[in-house]
Each structure stands twice: as C-alpha cells, then as structure tokens.
C-alpha cells in the first residue's frame, strides 16, 4: 500500500489523472508481479494490472492490491489497457517517456481520448529509497557475493582462464540461493584489468597478473555489486602502489558518505584523493550508483550528481585506476545509508591478496 500511496502523489504533483507504467522493472516494483509482460494503470481510486492469459493466476497471487484484467489472443494487452483507461474516464495520462517506444506512444495517442503526458524518472525516484524488505534481500545478495569471493580465492591461479573464473562464481552463487549473477561479470586479468568493463574472456591468468573480479548475486529480484582485485603472484610494484591509492580512496569514501550530502559531494571523497595522487586521468567513471531491482539505479554519484543522499538508499562505492598497457585496480562495496552514516553490506577483505 505504501508504494501505491507514493505513486498516487505523483498524480497530484504532475496534475494528471492516471499513471501508465510499461517498464518491466517499475511494474515489478509497484506490484510485486514477476511476469514478463503487463501494464499497470494507477489512478486516485483504481489500481489495475493488465496481463495476458499466461500470467492470470500468478498476477492474482503476487499483485494482491491490484485489480487484474486478463486477455487472451484478442484483445491484446494494448487494447485492453485502452479499454480500461476509457472506462476510468481519465483526461490526462502520465506515461514513461524514457521507456515507451515512439511507435507505442503513437498507438496510445491515437487510440485513447485522453492526453498523453510524458514523465521521466518518477517511479525511479521512488525506488531510490529502499523498504525494509528490499534491504533484507539486498543484504542477502551481498552475503552471497562475500561467500563467493572466499570460494573463488581457492580457484584462481595462473593457467586458469577468466571465463572459467566467471563460470565458477556463477555456479557457486546459484548453489547459495542466487537465481543467477547480477550482470555479465567483469573478470579481467593482466593488461585487460585496465578495461573498466572487461567482460570475462578466454585469456589465461598469468603469474603476477592483477585480476579484477566485478560480480554480484541476483537474489529474489535484487542485486549485489562487488569488486575485489587480487594478484596471481607478486605483481608489478607500480600496481601495488596503485592498489594502495584505490584502497585509501575507498576507505575515505566509506568513512565519509552520509545522508544530507549530494551525490557530487559523495563522489569527491574518492576522486579528489585519486587526483591528488596523480591518477585523475586514469579514473574516468563515477564513484558509485544505486543498486536494487536494476544493477544501475539512481542516484549515480559523479561530479554532476545533485541528488541528496538519503537514509534507506543502497549504493555502490567503487573507485578505480586504469593504466593502459599496465593494468588496473578497482575495489567496490555496497553500502546502506543510515540516519547518521552508512553500513557496509559487503564484508570481503579489501587489502591486497596475493595468491
């Protein structure tokens, strides 16, 4: 009910009569319905979920606060949605302009008598602050990631391919209760560790390589996102120095991020230190982001982020330095913003581990 109340506040703020939700993730957030197709309609007095024949029983079980409208082959979900909107006699419909295709927008504009009003990021704003249930799932996902890190340390060694490391992590996390990994894992060794998004390849880990392990567990719809960088044997001295800089940047952020500051200020805790150490050009991405139903959610901490950090947000903190031709280091934790600071959800060791 709390989510519906917040969604209905959008109606008043945007001066519209109905919300039309077509994005899969936002639909799941509002309804708890996990099916792959459906449309949500919310007015001041109605809450409707339109699904096709495949999901009728599931929708009744999962979306208890919604009136379920089902269709077979004809009419389609689109046609049934238009019918419901007409029955509700709405005059202004807010739709998700960032997610609805122009083709579908045109169809609604032609079929519905109400005005189509573009909205951007309204449900995503609600998703930034997590409920107790969401936080519980995110903590479990983080615990699975931690267990996977402990496990993979006995697997990584020179001669093992990056893709085999990814497959081992995936299999282990599934055995711990995860549905899958949170995203395509970034497993990058040697010079490839200088690729911030170097997906696992067939490259074989060599003695002395730095190995970036960026992965997470997908648990009951929610995701963790953790990075650790380890060395497969004694690494280059320059990489050890870089590791020390990244670790200090991370710790400064963990000690300083708190409610009431902007995402830009949160980003600066790591960025300013890395710049002071002479690696500003080698740190080109934001220092963190929200995580939840999606792996990347608002707020995105960067020099441009003016979102206010609030209690209940779950964020990543992930400074990194990447030197082409040499290698890179990233260390990343998930944190929960509390009333007075933050709680670190990922507990794996942060000090450099040389295997």
């Amino acid at each position: 009910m709390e989510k519906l109340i917040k969604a209905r506040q959008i109606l008043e703020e945007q001066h519209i009569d109905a919300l039309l939700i077509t994005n899969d993730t936002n639909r799941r957030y509002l309804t708890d319905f996990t099916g792959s197709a459906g449309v949500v309609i919310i007015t001041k007095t109605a809450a409707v979920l339109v699904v096709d024949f495949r999901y009728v029983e599931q929708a009744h079980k999962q979306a208890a606060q919604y009136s379920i409208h089902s269709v077979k082959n004809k009419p389609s979900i689109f046609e049934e949605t238009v019918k419901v909107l007409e029955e509700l006699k709405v005059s202004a419909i807010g739709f998700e302009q960032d997610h609805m295709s122009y083709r579908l927008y045109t169809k609604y504009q032609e079929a519905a008598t109400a005005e189509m009003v573009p909205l951007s990021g309204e449900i995503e704003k609600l998703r930034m602050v997590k409920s107790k249930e969401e936080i519980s799932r995110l903590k479990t996902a983080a615990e699975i990631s931690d267990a996977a890190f402990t496990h993979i340390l006995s697997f990584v060694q020179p001669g093992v391919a990056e893709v085999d490391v990814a497959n081992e992590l995936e299999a282990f996390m599934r055995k711990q209760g995860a549905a899958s990994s949170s995203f395509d894992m970034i497993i990058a060794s040697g010079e490839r560790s200088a690729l911030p998004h170097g997906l696992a390849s067939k490259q074989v880990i060599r003695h002395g390589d730095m190995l970036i392990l960026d992965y997470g567990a997908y648990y009951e719809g929610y995701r963790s996102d953790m990075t650790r960088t380890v060395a497969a044997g004694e690494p280059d001295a320059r990489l050890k120095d870089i590791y020390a800089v990244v670790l200090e940047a991370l710790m400064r952020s963990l000690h300083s991020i708190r409610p009431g500051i902007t995402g830009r200020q949160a980003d600066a805790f790591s960025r300013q230190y890395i710049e002071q150490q002479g690696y500003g050009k080698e740190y080109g991405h934001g220092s963190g982001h929200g995580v939840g139903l999606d792996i990347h959610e608002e707020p995105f901490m960067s020099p441009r982020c003016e979102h206010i950090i609030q209690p209940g947000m779950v964020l990543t903190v992930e400074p990194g330095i990447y030197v082409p031709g040499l290698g890179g280091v990233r260390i990343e934790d998930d944190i929960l913003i509390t009333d007075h600071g933050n709680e670190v959800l990922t507990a794996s060791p942060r000090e450099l581990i040389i295997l």
Side-chain angles (χ1 to χ4, degrees), residues 1 92 169 215 282 286:
M1 184 60 71
L169 281 168
Y215 65 96
E282 289 75 32

Side-chain angles (χ1 to χ4, degrees), residues 2 6 29 124-136 138-139 222 257-260 289-293 297-299 308-316 334-343 345:
E2 182 181 354
K6 290 181 178 180
Y29 172 76
E124 286 84 350
K125 291 176 186 176
L126 301 184
R127 287 167 48 194
M128 285 196 294
V129 176
K130 271 56 179 180
S131 67
K132 290 182 179 179
E133 182 180 8
E134 289 179 297
I135 290 168
S136 175
L138 287 162
K139 285 184 174 181
Y222 288 80
I257 294 176
R258 60 192 184 277
H289 54 82
V291 63
L293 286 167
E297 299 187 349
E298 293 284 3
I308 302 298
I309 304 299
Q310 303 174 52
M313 287 183 172
V314 176
L315 311 172
T316 68
D334 295 344
I335 64 172
L336 166 67
I337 304 301
T338 62
D339 289 338
H340 303 291
N342 69 76
E343 174 188 349
L345 305 184

Side-chain angles (χ1 to χ4, degrees), residues 261-328:
I261 65 174
T262 64
R264 175 176 53 80
Q265 291 171 311
D267 177 85
F269 295 129
S270 62
R271 192 169 307 281
Q272 288 180 357
Y273 178 75
I274 288 175
E275 289 174 348
Q276 290 167 4
Q277 302 306 306
Y279 290 105
K281 293 182 179 179
E282 289 75 32
Y283 181 22
H285 57 70
S287 67
H289 54 82
V291 63
L293 286 167
D294 284 329
I295 193 61
H296 297 112
E297 299 187 349
E298 293 284 3
F300 292 90
M301 292 184 289
S302 75
R304 298 176 299 279
C305 179
E306 295 300 332
H307 281 299
I308 302 298
I309 304 299
Q310 303 174 52
M313 287 183 172
V314 176
L315 311 172
T316 68
V317 184
E318 49 182 298
I321 295 174
Y322 314 92
V323 182
L326 176 64

Side-chain angles (χ1 to χ4, degrees), residues 10 14 19 26 94-99 117-125 298:
I10 298 171
Q14 299 296 328
L19 281 172
N26 289 338
F95 73 97
E96 300 173 288
Q97 66 172 337
D98 300 323
H99 305 298
V117 180
L119 303 178
S120 179
E122 294 297 330
I123 305 303
E124 286 84 350
K125 291 176 186 176
E298 293 284 3

